[in-house]
Amino acid sequence: MVEIFNQRINGGALEDDPDYHFMVTYKASFDPGELNDTFHEFVRLCEEDDALTGGDDFITAQGPAGNVFTPGALPQQNDNRPGHQGMKVVDRSLGFVLSREIANTEPGHEEVYADIWLRSSGNLASTGWPGSDSGKATTNVGDFNP
């Protein structure tokens, strides 16, 4: 089963740019039998709020359209982590450009993170995070100053 690791979010606002720029990167490790499967890749950005405000804000779609890819068609390296012999790692990177009106959800700094999930070809119709049949991960929470 696919495993997501080393997930990160970087970026934020630039002084001379009206938009926020975010880059989500991660590694996905696949079993040999999964390399020729099709995977649907979903990433959504959220702004962390404290529990008293009623939950985090989705600053991109809660159920994004996603990207479709085949791991075997991409550059791979061996997964050398203990217990992962025979698995292959694919590096993934997705960029987001959001207007300040969308990304700036509160006064002051924005605490943004990304939810990442992958679905195998057997379950491409589903887009929701709950009950995902494949890899799931959440990045670090980045403190982005508007």
Side-chain angles (χ1 to χ4, degrees):
M1 175 175 267
V2 63
E3 180 182 338
I4 298 171
F5 65 103
N6 285 359
Q7 61 273 15
R8 302 283 312 154
I9 186 169
N10 294 297
L14 304 174
E15 204 170 301
D16 297 336
D17 191 331
D19 297 323
Y20 275 64
H21 298 262
F22 296 103
M23 183 63 67
V24 175
T25 58
Y26 68 93
K27 294 180 178 295
S29 183
F30 297 91
D31 289 322
E34 295 176 313
L35 291 174
N36 292 318
D37 283 351
T38 301
F39 280 82
H40 213 142
E41 170 184 62
F42 304 97
V43 177
R44 69 178 174 210
L45 301 186
C46 303
E47 200 281 327
E48 184 179 61
D49 290 328
D50 61 48
L52 299 176
T53 62
D56 296 346
D57 299 316
F58 296 112
I59 57 176
T60 59
Q62 183 174 354
N67 303 306
V68 177
F69 71 95
T70 303
L74 302 173
Q76 311 151 25
Q77 58 260 22
N78 292 327
D79 191 338
N80 295 320
R81 297 175 299 152
H84 293 85
Q85 293 78 13
M87 295 181 78
K88 298 290 184 180
V89 175
V90 173
D91 292 322
R92 299 295 294 161
S93 166
L94 291 95
F96 295 85
V97 178
L98 302 172
S99 71
R100 286 183 189 257
E101 292 78 30
I102 292 172
N104 191 2
T105 66
E106 62 192 14
H109 292 231
E110 302 298 322
E111 301 81 26
V112 178
Y113 65 92
D115 288 329
I116 305 163
W117 64 106
L118 298 174
R119 289 194 179 276
S120 64
S121 56
N123 197 13
L124 289 180
S126 178
T127 61
W129 171 273
S132 176
D133 71 333
S134 295
K136 295 191 293 187
T138 299
T139 67
N140 58 302
V141 176
D143 183 5
F144 301 105
N145 190 3

